[in-house]
């Protein structure tokens, strides 16, 4: 990982201004690997070296990524006057400068959301040409039939004429008319609109995977987990529908509990 200036890391990881940081360094309040450091121009590797400010360890790595299990009632934004934001699911000390949700889920939808300060990663995930797949566990008003799955696989045309890319869907043989659906794009309310075009209705929607990264089934609603830099590339993989389907089947009780917890 490329090295960073110490003062830049402190500016990114604390609420202090650059001028404040100069004063803080002069006071001897910063340590690198247990040794007091007063030179803000010193280059360090935040993935390897430990930096503390007033004895408190800073969030490491050049960029940070957190996977959160979004409950209902939270919106994917950095601030909002009407709703709580997904950033509020993290402790205040982890809400570093520049942190934002990479992608969105509707306020009434739940599941995997990535919070990061890495704009390049977010662009690679969200760029239309990347087609990073996103997997959703949906509870429907009525079963997803083989005919429905076939129409989705062909590329459905919505009621307003919007053309959708081919999508994979497969019902789960469990009570509640659940199905797993995989999209390679992110149009407005797309999953709900697609099933509406099939004369069905999405009762609940829970995102369970992005690319090759699966939402940990043990992660409670509202919980979070840090994503290490070496694991970030999993989010950019194509994933495997059948493998993720089998994983959801195996851990269905955990996923369904998380999904309906806030309903």
């Amino acid at each position: 990982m490329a090295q960073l200036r110490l003062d830049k890391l402190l500016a990114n990881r604390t609420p202090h201004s650059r001028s404040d940081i100069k004063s803080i360094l002069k006071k001897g309040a910063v340590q690198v690997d247990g040794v007091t450091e007063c030179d803000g121009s010193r280059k360090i590797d935040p993935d390897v070296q430990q930096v503390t400010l007033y004895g408190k360890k800073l969030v490491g790595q050049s960029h940070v990524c957190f996977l959160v299990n979004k409950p209902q009632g939270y919106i994917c934004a950095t601030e909002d006057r009407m709703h709580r934001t997904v950033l509020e699911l993290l402790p205040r000390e982890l809400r570093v400068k520049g942190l934002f949700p990479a992608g969105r889920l509707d306020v009434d939808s739940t599941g995997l959301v990535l919070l990061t300060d890495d704009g390049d990663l977010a662009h690679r995930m969200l760029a239309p040409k990347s087609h990073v797949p996103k997997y959703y566990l949906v509870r429907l008003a009525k079963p997803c039939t083989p005919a429905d799955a076939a129409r989705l696989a062909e590329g459905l045309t919505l009621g307003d004429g919007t053309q959708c890319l081919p999508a994979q869907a497969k019902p789960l043989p469990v009570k509640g008319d659940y199905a797993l659906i995989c999209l390679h794009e992110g149009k407005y309310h797309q999953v709900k609109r697609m099933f509406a075009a099939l004369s069905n209705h999405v009762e609940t929607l829970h995102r369970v995977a992005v690319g090759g990264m699966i939402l940990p089934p043990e992660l409670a609603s509202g919980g979070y987990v840090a994503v290490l830099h070496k694991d970030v590339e999993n989010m950019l993989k194509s994933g495997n529908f059948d493998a993720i389907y089998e994983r959801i089947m195996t851990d269905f009780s955990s996923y369904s509990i998380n999904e309906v917890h806030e309903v």
Side-chain angles (χ1 to χ4, degrees):
M1 180 60 62
Q3 293 189 329
L4 296 176
R5 285 176 58 112
L6 178 59
D7 53 7
K8 183 176 181 180
L9 177 68
L10 291 166
N12 290 341
R13 294 290 179 266
T14 73
H16 301 292
S17 66
R18 286 293 183 94
S19 58
D20 289 338
I21 289 169
K22 289 182 180 180
S23 176
I24 290 170
L25 284 164
K26 289 180 180 179
K27 293 177 181 178
V30 178
Q31 290 190 323
V32 178
D33 292 333
V35 178
T36 298
E37 179 59 68
C38 301
D39 182 5
S41 66
R42 175 182 170 182
K43 296 289 187 70
I44 65 165
D45 185 342
D47 293 332
V48 176
Q49 295 172 280
Q50 179 176 300
V51 179
T52 60
L53 174 62
Y54 295 117
K56 189 172 183 179
K57 183 179 177 181
L58 298 186
V59 176
Q61 304 192 79
S62 301
H63 291 289
V64 297
C65 295
F66 297 99
L67 184 155
V68 302
N69 187 1
K70 186 185 95 65
Q72 281 193 332
Y74 286 78
I75 65 167
C76 292
T78 56
E79 58 181 337
D80 189 85
R81 294 181 180 181
M82 301 293 294
H83 300 90
R84 294 168 292 181
T85 73
V86 287
L87 269 62
E88 295 176 58
L89 296 171
L90 297 181
R92 188 169 298 277
E93 63 269 18
L94 296 182
R95 300 177 207 167
V96 302
K97 289 179 181 176
L99 192 68
F100 66 96
R104 65 184 301 276
L105 278 175
D106 298 333
V107 67
D108 60 343
S109 298
T110 61
L112 189 159
V113 174
L114 181 73
L115 305 181
T116 185
D117 62 349
D118 189 343
D120 290 338
L121 170 64
H123 176 73
R124 292 168 67 193
M125 283 180 55
L126 303 174
K129 65 180 181 180
S130 298
H131 296 313
V132 174
K134 300 172 183 64
Y135 299 83
Y136 303 87
L137 176 65
V138 293
R139 190 175 71 204
L140 301 167
K142 55 185 180 180
C144 176
T145 67
D148 293 336
R151 288 187 62 188
L152 291 167
E154 292 172 355
L156 195 67
T157 301
L158 303 181
D160 62 359
T162 299
Q163 181 65 44
C164 298
L165 292 175
Q168 289 177 277
K170 188 175 181 179
L172 277 71
V174 293
K175 183 178 179 181
D177 297 329
Y178 286 87
L180 180 70
I181 182 169
C182 173
L183 303 185
H184 293 268
E185 56 185 342
K187 293 181 170 66
Y188 179 71
H189 290 325
Q190 185 170 352
V191 175
K192 297 174 183 177
R193 294 166 67 202
M194 291 172 79
F195 279 105
L198 297 171
S199 300
N200 207 335
H201 178 72
V202 174
E203 304 284 353
T204 61
L205 184 150
H206 187 63
R207 185 154 64 200
V208 293
V210 173
M213 182 166 287
I214 301 177
L215 182 69
E218 69 277 7
L219 186 63
S221 177
Y224 71 92
V225 62
V227 180
L228 300 178
H229 179 79
K230 64 183 179 65
D231 296 324
V232 165
E233 292 299 321
N234 283 335
M235 286 204 166
L236 304 174
K237 294 180 179 178
S238 61
N240 181 291
F241 184 88
D242 291 335
I244 290 177
Y245 180 87
E246 292 301 322
R247 173 71 179 272
I248 300 306
M249 285 289 295
T250 300
D251 296 316
F252 174 76
S253 60
S254 296
Y255 283 118
S256 60
I257 287 171
N258 281 335
E259 178 230 340
V260 303
H261 179 72
E262 298 288 334
V263 175

PDB file of all heavy atoms in Angstrom, residues 144-164:
ATOM      1  N   CYS A 144     -42.864 -16.793  -7.194  1.00  0.00           N
ATOM      2  CA  CYS A 144     -42.166 -16.511  -8.448  1.00  0.00           C
ATOM      3  C   CYS A 144     -42.179 -17.799  -9.262  1.00  0.00           C
ATOM      4  O   CYS A 144     -41.613 -18.816  -8.850  1.00  0.00           O
ATOM      5  CB  CYS A 144     -40.726 -16.065  -8.170  1.00  0.00           C
ATOM      6  SG  CYS A 144     -39.716 -15.804  -9.640  1.00  0.00           S
ATOM      7  N   THR A 145     -42.845 -17.792 -10.399  1.00  0.00           N
ATOM      8  CA  THR A 145     -43.030 -19.007 -11.196  1.00  0.00           C
ATOM      9  C   THR A 145     -41.887 -19.187 -12.197  1.00  0.00           C
ATOM     10  O   THR A 145     -41.140 -18.239 -12.484  1.00  0.00           O
ATOM     11  CB  THR A 145     -44.345 -18.931 -11.980  1.00  0.00           C
ATOM     12  OG1 THR A 145     -44.230 -17.884 -12.965  1.00  0.00           O
ATOM     13  CG2 THR A 145     -45.519 -18.632 -11.050  1.00  0.00           C
ATOM     14  N   PRO A 146     -41.737 -20.389 -12.753  1.00  0.00           N
ATOM     15  CA  PRO A 146     -40.739 -20.582 -13.816  1.00  0.00           C
ATOM     16  C   PRO A 146     -40.955 -19.635 -14.990  1.00  0.00           C
ATOM     17  O   PRO A 146     -39.983 -19.163 -15.603  1.00  0.00           O
ATOM     18  CB  PRO A 146     -40.958 -22.041 -14.226  1.00  0.00           C
ATOM     19  CG  PRO A 146     -41.486 -22.701 -12.979  1.00  0.00           C
ATOM     20  CD  PRO A 146     -42.367 -21.662 -12.356  1.00  0.00           C
ATOM     21  N   ALA A 147     -42.202 -19.321 -15.295  1.00  0.00           N
ATOM     22  CA  ALA A 147     -42.484 -18.373 -16.384  1.00  0.00           C
ATOM     23  C   ALA A 147     -41.982 -16.978 -16.031  1.00  0.00           C
ATOM     24  O   ALA A 147     -41.446 -16.261 -16.891  1.00  0.00           O
ATOM     25  CB  ALA A 147     -43.988 -18.341 -16.666  1.00  0.00           C
ATOM     26  N   ASP A 148     -42.143 -16.585 -14.762  1.00  0.00           N
ATOM     27  CA  ASP A 148     -41.631 -15.288 -14.309  1.00  0.00           C
ATOM     28  C   ASP A 148     -40.111 -15.239 -14.448  1.00  0.00           C
ATOM     29  O   ASP A 148     -39.544 -14.255 -14.944  1.00  0.00           O
ATOM     30  CB  ASP A 148     -42.006 -15.036 -12.851  1.00  0.00           C
ATOM     31  CG  ASP A 148     -43.497 -14.845 -12.642  1.00  0.00           C
ATOM     32  OD1 ASP A 148     -44.181 -14.458 -13.607  1.00  0.00           O
ATOM     33  OD2 ASP A 148     -43.961 -15.083 -11.514  1.00  0.00           O
ATOM     34  N   ALA A 149     -39.436 -16.299 -14.001  1.00  0.00           N
ATOM     35  CA  ALA A 149     -37.976 -16.361 -14.074  1.00  0.00           C
ATOM     36  C   ALA A 149     -37.510 -16.282 -15.524  1.00  0.00           C
ATOM     37  O   ALA A 149     -36.492 -15.639 -15.837  1.00  0.00           O
ATOM     38  CB  ALA A 149     -37.471 -17.633 -13.407  1.00  0.00           C
ATOM     39  N   ALA A 150     -38.252 -16.935 -16.418  1.00  0.00           N
ATOM     40  CA  ALA A 150     -37.883 -16.916 -17.838  1.00  0.00           C
ATOM     41  C   ALA A 150     -38.003 -15.503 -18.413  1.00  0.00           C
ATOM     42  O   ALA A 150     -37.141 -15.055 -19.178  1.00  0.00           O
ATOM     43  CB  ALA A 150     -38.771 -17.891 -18.617  1.00  0.00           C
ATOM     44  N   ARG A 151     -39.054 -14.792 -18.048  1.00  0.00           N
ATOM     45  CA  ARG A 151     -39.230 -13.426 -18.544  1.00  0.00           C
ATOM     46  C   ARG A 151     -38.144 -12.508 -18.007  1.00  0.00           C
ATOM     47  O   ARG A 151     -37.635 -11.641 -18.719  1.00  0.00           O
ATOM     48  CB  ARG A 151     -40.611 -12.897 -18.160  1.00  0.00           C
ATOM     49  CG  ARG A 151     -41.764 -13.536 -18.939  1.00  0.00           C
ATOM     50  CD  ARG A 151     -43.068 -12.847 -18.621  1.00  0.00           C
ATOM     51  NE  ARG A 151     -43.036 -11.427 -19.018  1.00  0.00           N
ATOM     52  CZ  ARG A 151     -43.996 -10.550 -18.712  1.00  0.00           C
ATOM     53  NH1 ARG A 151     -45.043 -10.946 -17.986  1.00  0.00           N
ATOM     54  NH2 ARG A 151     -43.915  -9.293 -19.115  1.00  0.00           N
ATOM     55  N   LEU A 152     -37.783 -12.680 -16.736  1.00  0.00           N
ATOM     56  CA  LEU A 152     -36.704 -11.872 -16.160  1.00  0.00           C
ATOM     57  C   LEU A 152     -35.380 -12.158 -16.864  1.00  0.00           C
ATOM     58  O   LEU A 152     -34.584 -11.253 -17.097  1.00  0.00           O
ATOM     59  CB  LEU A 152     -36.584 -12.157 -14.663  1.00  0.00           C
ATOM     60  CG  LEU A 152     -37.734 -11.655 -13.788  1.00  0.00           C
ATOM     61  CD1 LEU A 152     -37.646 -12.279 -12.397  1.00  0.00           C
ATOM     62  CD2 LEU A 152     -37.724 -10.136 -13.693  1.00  0.00           C
ATOM     63  N   ALA A 153     -35.150 -13.421 -17.202  1.00  0.00           N
ATOM     64  CA  ALA A 153     -33.901 -13.816 -17.856  1.00  0.00           C
ATOM     65  C   ALA A 153     -33.798 -13.263 -19.269  1.00  0.00           C
ATOM     66  O   ALA A 153     -32.694 -13.101 -19.811  1.00  0.00           O
ATOM     67  CB  ALA A 153     -33.784 -15.335 -17.883  1.00  0.00           C
ATOM     68  N   GLU A 154     -34.919 -12.961 -19.882  1.00  0.00           N
ATOM     69  CA  GLU A 154     -34.923 -12.412 -21.242  1.00  0.00           C
ATOM     70  C   GLU A 154     -34.622 -10.917 -21.252  1.00  0.00           C
ATOM     71  O   GLU A 154     -34.213 -10.376 -22.281  1.00  0.00           O
ATOM     72  CB  GLU A 154     -36.287 -12.656 -21.892  1.00  0.00           C
ATOM     73  CG  GLU A 154     -36.577 -14.126 -22.180  1.00  0.00           C
ATOM     74  CD  GLU A 154     -38.006 -14.343 -22.639  1.00  0.00           C
ATOM     75  OE1 GLU A 154     -38.789 -13.354 -22.628  1.00  0.00           O
ATOM     76  OE2 GLU A 154     -38.355 -15.486 -22.978  1.00  0.00           O
ATOM     77  N   GLY A 155     -34.848 -10.252 -20.120  1.00  0.00           N
ATOM     78  CA  GLY A 155     -34.714  -8.804 -20.064  1.00  0.00           C
ATOM     79  C   GLY A 155     -36.085  -8.177 -20.138  1.00  0.00           C
ATOM     80  O   GLY A 155     -36.660  -7.999 -21.208  1.00  0.00           O
ATOM     81  N   LEU A 156     -36.618  -7.855 -18.985  1.00  0.00           N
ATOM     82  CA  LEU A 156     -38.008  -7.404 -18.873  1.00  0.00           C
ATOM     83  C   LEU A 156     -38.159  -5.942 -19.292  1.00  0.00           C
ATOM     84  O   LEU A 156     -37.294  -5.117 -19.038  1.00  0.00           O
ATOM     85  CB  LEU A 156     -38.458  -7.576 -17.422  1.00  0.00           C
ATOM     86  CG  LEU A 156     -39.950  -7.511 -17.109  1.00  0.00           C
ATOM     87  CD1 LEU A 156     -40.678  -8.695 -17.732  1.00  0.00           C
ATOM     88  CD2 LEU A 156     -40.144  -7.534 -15.588  1.00  0.00           C
ATOM     89  N   THR A 157     -39.293  -5.639 -19.917  1.00  0.00           N
ATOM     90  CA  THR A 157     -39.653  -4.256 -20.217  1.00  0.00           C
ATOM     91  C   THR A 157     -40.689  -3.798 -19.193  1.00  0.00           C
ATOM     92  O   THR A 157     -41.730  -4.440 -19.037  1.00  0.00           O
ATOM     93  CB  THR A 157     -40.237  -4.116 -21.637  1.00  0.00           C
ATOM     94  OG1 THR A 157     -39.262  -4.565 -22.585  1.00  0.00           O
ATOM     95  CG2 THR A 157     -40.580  -2.660 -21.927  1.00  0.00           C
ATOM     96  N   LEU A 158     -40.383  -2.697 -18.490  1.00  0.00           N
ATOM     97  CA  LEU A 158     -41.282  -2.200 -17.452  1.00  0.00           C
ATOM     98  C   LEU A 158     -42.467  -1.464 -18.063  1.00  0.00           C
ATOM     99  O   LEU A 158     -42.500  -1.177 -19.263  1.00  0.00           O
ATOM    100  CB  LEU A 158     -40.516  -1.284 -16.500  1.00  0.00           C
ATOM    101  CG  LEU A 158     -39.288  -1.904 -15.814  1.00  0.00           C
ATOM    102  CD1 LEU A 158     -38.630  -0.897 -14.888  1.00  0.00           C
ATOM    103  CD2 LEU A 158     -39.670  -3.170 -15.049  1.00  0.00           C
ATOM    104  N   GLY A 159     -43.429  -1.133 -17.234  1.00  0.00           N
ATOM    105  CA  GLY A 159     -44.660  -0.508 -17.701  1.00  0.00           C
ATOM    106  C   GLY A 159     -44.447   0.812 -18.397  1.00  0.00           C
ATOM    107  O   GLY A 159     -45.226   1.189 -19.280  1.00  0.00           O
ATOM    108  N   ASP A 160     -43.375   1.552 -18.010  1.00  0.00           N
ATOM    109  CA  ASP A 160     -43.120   2.850 -18.640  1.00  0.00           C
ATOM    110  C   ASP A 160     -42.214   2.734 -19.855  1.00  0.00           C
ATOM    111  O   ASP A 160     -41.759   3.746 -20.399  1.00  0.00           O
ATOM    112  CB  ASP A 160     -42.518   3.820 -17.628  1.00  0.00           C
ATOM    113  CG  ASP A 160     -41.162   3.337 -17.089  1.00  0.00           C
ATOM    114  OD1 ASP A 160     -40.715   2.237 -17.488  1.00  0.00           O
ATOM    115  OD2 ASP A 160     -40.561   4.063 -16.268  1.00  0.00           O
ATOM    116  N   GLY A 161     -41.929   1.493 -20.270  1.00  0.00           N
ATOM    117  CA  GLY A 161     -41.091   1.278 -21.438  1.00  0.00           C
ATOM    118  C   GLY A 161     -39.621   1.082 -21.132  1.00  0.00           C
ATOM    119  O   GLY A 161     -38.828   0.790 -22.036  1.00  0.00           O
ATOM    120  N   THR A 162     -39.223   1.219 -19.869  1.00  0.00           N
ATOM    121  CA  THR A 162     -37.825   1.025 -19.490  1.00  0.00           C
ATOM    122  C   THR A 162     -37.411  -0.422 -19.742  1.00  0.00           C
ATOM    123  O   THR A 162     -38.094  -1.360 -19.313  1.00  0.00           O
ATOM    124  CB  THR A 162     -37.611   1.349 -18.007  1.00  0.00           C
ATOM    125  OG1 THR A 162     -37.960   2.724 -17.779  1.00  0.00           O
ATOM    126  CG2 THR A 162     -36.161   1.132 -17.605  1.00  0.00           C
ATOM    127  N   GLN A 163     -36.295  -0.603 -20.422  1.00  0.00           N
ATOM    128  CA  GLN A 163     -35.787  -1.937 -20.724  1.00  0.00           C
ATOM    129  C   GLN A 163     -34.752  -2.343 -19.676  1.00  0.00           C
ATOM    130  O   GLN A 163     -33.791  -1.609 -19.423  1.00  0.00           O
ATOM    131  CB  GLN A 163     -35.149  -1.978 -22.106  1.00  0.00           C
ATOM    132  CG  GLN A 163     -34.620  -3.346 -22.517  1.00  0.00           C
ATOM    133  CD  GLN A 163     -35.726  -4.381 -22.670  1.00  0.00           C
ATOM    134  OE1 GLN A 163     -36.766  -4.076 -23.253  1.00  0.00           O
ATOM    135  NE2 GLN A 163     -35.511  -5.576 -22.153  1.00  0.00           N
ATOM    136  N   CYS A 164     -34.949  -3.489 -19.060  1.00  0.00           N
ATOM    137  CA  CYS A 164     -34.024  -3.995 -18.037  1.00  0.00           C
ATOM    138  C   CYS A 164     -33.091  -5.046 -18.631  1.00  0.00           C
ATOM    139  O   CYS A 164     -33.480  -5.794 -19.540  1.00  0.00           O
ATOM    140  CB  CYS A 164     -34.795  -4.614 -16.879  1.00  0.00           C
ATOM    141  SG  CYS A 164     -35.860  -3.468 -15.986  1.00  0.00           S
TER     142      CYS A 164
END
